[in-house]
Amino acid sequence: MTTSLKASDRLSWELATESIVVRIRWFGIAMGYVLALTRTGLHNASAVCAFLALGAGYAALDTAFHRMGEVFLIRWPLFVSSMESIFIALLCYHDTGMDSPFRWYYLLSLICCAIRSRPAVAWTTFGLHCLSLVALAWALGQGRSAWSALPLTVALLAWVTWASSALASLLKATGASLEQANSELELHGADLERRVAERSAALRASQARVIHQEKMAAFGLLAAGIAHEVGNPLAALSSLVQMLQRRGPDPYTAEKLGLADRQLGRIQRTIRELVDFARPASPAMGRVRLAEVVEEVLGVAKYYHRTGDRAITTDVPDDLPAVTAPRDHLTQIILNLVFNAIDATVKGGEIQLIVREEPGRVVLTVRDDGRGIAPADRERLFQPYFTTKPRGTGLGLFVSRQIVEELGGSMDYASEPGRGATFRVVMPAEAAGEARPHLLVAEGVVS
Ligand code: ADP
């Protein structure tokens, strides 16, 4: 248990004790006047009243300082004690001598000193008061039997000094340990708040990911349902066309049947691609070639109804190192960036997908010349549920960045409002020397 008080705690302790001391002083002055005015046989009553007036002046100064939040003569406790020693001795001298009730002022003075100052100061004050008592006895002389009362008074003063110092030390120690417990409590409180905030953020993040996954799963289910519903009549139509073709139609009909067959085949391919893409994302890690993922993304993006009006170009070198990641997740991340770029651009807008190898990493950039990102949105861009789209979820960028960071990569962006945005995905590359299969180059314009 530490008993040391901080400077601010010490001041508040001194102010609190000072408020007690001020009351003790005023009570002493009031009692003094009562004693001086109601008793007879005083050595010099007017001198007693004059000294009491002096004491009242001192108490008034003390009170004024206390009201201002300060302690009068705080740095000179022994000066105060010396003044009090002289003051009390003079009161006793002009009162009835060694048996004057004013000698109890020594006790009050010691109590005040003990609660305000360290035990050493209290014991020095005790010494000063003893000297003052001896001087008083000497001044009074043998005739007034002053010396006989001295030992008992000194013993009483020592007793009070010890008791009040011990009590004050105990109070200070208790105050200090309470203060320490309080600051520890504050620390724990702050720690608890921080942990709650962390947990809430983690909860929000996992909730957002679950919603995103559910959205993707619902999309997959829908695509599978559509494929099933459309697939059967499509297969029936296809066999019907083939049957008609086998019956040797005239050249005009044969040409039209061929056309119908090719269109049916195209629809079947489209459905197969959609179903492939929409199957539940596998979290399995694998060596992923970004060029292949880019190609797959563009194969899906072409079905987005707004894609047709944008020029999407790619620049992906053929000897990039592979990255280790769940392929489906990478596909979703890049597709989300491409969809965002399409949404941000107007008809005729340009979108570029560039992949570059940098030392130890592979950097994918998706650049568009769309409306860019408003400065007010920058802070919130990667926060879950932030969206400016009427039917957006605001989860794409948030979930993408989380996945990329979990894979040891990073995701950032730059934007000039009105002139477009550039999103960057940086992934750790496989170490040099590892097998680098010949990669498919995805380069061209998706229409
Ligand atoms: P959503 O697409 O559902 O809105 P995202 O997290 O993918 O969710 O995107 C959040 C928001 O970031 C978008 O609503 C959009 O305002 C902004 N944003 C993302 N990409 C771009 C971009 N290339 N240009 C301008 N704004 C963008």
Side-chain angles (χ1 to χ4, degrees):
M1 183 173 71
T2 168
T3 55
S4 62
L5 293 172
K6 285 186 284 171
S8 59
D9 301 334
R10 199 173 299 131
L11 184 68
S12 62
W13 166 268
E14 277 157 0
L15 280 174
T17 53
E18 187 63 8
S19 79
I20 302 173
V21 168
V22 164
R23 285 193 190 95
I24 291 177
R25 285 201 203 295
W26 281 117
F27 178 75
I29 300 291
M31 278 301 294
Y33 273 114
V34 172
L35 290 171
L37 299 175
T38 56
R39 287 159 54 248
T40 53
L42 273 69
H43 190 57
N44 185 348
S46 45
V48 170
C49 286
F51 281 119
L52 283 173
L54 205 67
Y58 179 78
L61 262 177
D62 222 5
T63 311
F65 269 79
H66 179 249
R67 290 259 162 91
M68 291 187 299
E70 286 176 40
V71 179
F72 185 44
L73 295 177
I74 191 172
R75 288 173 189 273
W76 293 285
L78 287 177
F79 173 71
V80 174
S81 299
S82 319
M83 290 298 110
E84 285 174 354
S85 289
I86 297 168
F87 173 73
I88 300 166
L90 285 169
L91 276 178
C92 291
Y93 181 80
H94 291 292
D95 193 68
T96 53
M98 213 57 177
D99 59 348
S100 161
F102 285 110
R103 71 186 186 285
W104 304 125
Y105 277 20
Y106 282 118
L107 300 183
L108 290 182
S109 161
L110 277 171
I111 292 171
C112 291
C113 179
I115 59 175
R116 283 210 303 195
S117 312
R118 288 172 291 121
V121 177
W123 282 108
T124 312
T125 302
F126 163 74
L128 288 170
H129 287 358
C130 287
L131 281 178
S132 143
L133 271 170
V134 170
L136 177 64
W138 179 77
L140 291 169
Q142 287 290 349
R144 293 173 73 178
S145 66
W147 294 102
S148 57
L150 198 61
L152 184 65
T153 314
V154 168
L156 204 65
L157 290 191
W159 187 30
V160 167
T161 307
W162 169 77
S164 44
S165 289
L167 269 175
S169 300
L170 186 70
L171 273 176
K172 276 182 200 167
T174 312
S177 63
L178 270 178
E179 192 58 43
Q180 197 188 359
N182 195 33
S183 53
E184 271 169 23
L185 211 66
E186 273 172 16
L187 265 179
H188 281 123
D191 188 45
L192 210 65
E193 269 175 31
R194 185 183 51 75
R195 278 159 64 178
V196 167
E198 270 175 22
R199 291 280 153 85
S200 310
L203 203 68
R204 216 165 129 78
S206 62
Q207 189 191 30
R209 275 183 86 155
V210 167
I211 291 175
H212 186 69
Q213 276 159 6
E214 275 174 2
K215 193 182 103 182
M216 296 306 290
F219 172 55
L221 221 60
L222 199 71
I226 292 172
H228 182 73
E229 288 299 313
V230 177
N232 288 345
L234 216 58
L237 273 179
S238 185
S239 45
L240 209 64
V241 168
Q242 281 161 19
M243 192 190 80
L244 289 174
Q245 278 176 325
R246 280 199 297 275
R247 294 189 71 173
D250 58 86
Y252 177 80
T253 315
E255 188 207 327
K256 297 299 170 204
L257 282 174
L259 200 67
D261 194 38
R262 281 197 297 281
Q263 292 306 319
L264 283 171
R266 197 172 152 197
I267 297 174
Q268 277 169 328
R269 264 199 317 280
T270 302
I271 288 176
R272 236 190 343 267
E273 275 175 345
L274 271 182
V275 171
D276 270 1
F277 172 73
R279 73 185 183 285
S282 156
M285 295 285 266
R287 297 182 69 243
V288 182
R289 301 168 199 169
L290 275 182
E292 281 180 13
V293 176
V294 168
E295 197 185 47
E296 186 185 346
V297 163
L298 296 183
V300 176
K302 68 181 178 223
Y303 296 117
Y304 186 38
H305 68 103
R306 301 180 67 184
T307 309
D309 306 318
R310 317 291 193 271
I312 304 181
T313 56
T314 59
D315 177 0
V316 187
D318 59 355
D319 62 345
L320 287 170
V323 296
T324 306
R327 183 193 172 103
D328 291 349
H329 286 171
L330 274 190
T331 310
Q332 283 177 9
I333 290 167
I334 301 172
L335 188 67
N336 185 64
L337 291 178
V338 171
F339 279 168
N340 278 345
I342 293 170
D343 287 339
T345 46
V346 289
K347 268 186 184 178
E350 285 183 14
I351 296 163
Q352 287 174 290
L353 265 87
I354 303 161
V355 186
R356 289 278 176 270
E357 178 183 0
E358 289 181 9
R361 59 193 202 164
V362 179
V363 183
L364 169 109
T365 309
V366 179
R367 184 174 297 147
D368 68 67
D369 60 355
R371 61 165 192 279
I373 291 144
D377 295 340
R378 295 207 168 149
E379 294 285 305
R380 299 179 295 163
L381 207 68
F382 284 98
Q383 282 176 9
Y385 309 111
F386 170 73
T387 181
T388 54
K389 301 178 193 172
R391 268 177 289 187
T393 59
L395 293 174
L397 287 179
F398 168 71
V399 173
S400 298
R401 179 142 92 171
Q402 268 210 327
I403 294 173
V404 169
E405 283 176 358
E406 275 167 21
L407 294 169
S410 65
M411 197 169 163
D412 54 29
Y413 77 95
S415 171
E416 224 180 299
R419 303 191 63 179
T422 302
F423 281 82
R424 256 174 23 125
V425 177
V426 180
M427 291 289 296
E430 272 190 354
E434 284 186 40
R436 280 192 184 195
H438 186 72
L439 298 181
L440 212 72
V441 191
E443 193 154 300
V445 179
V446 179
S447 60

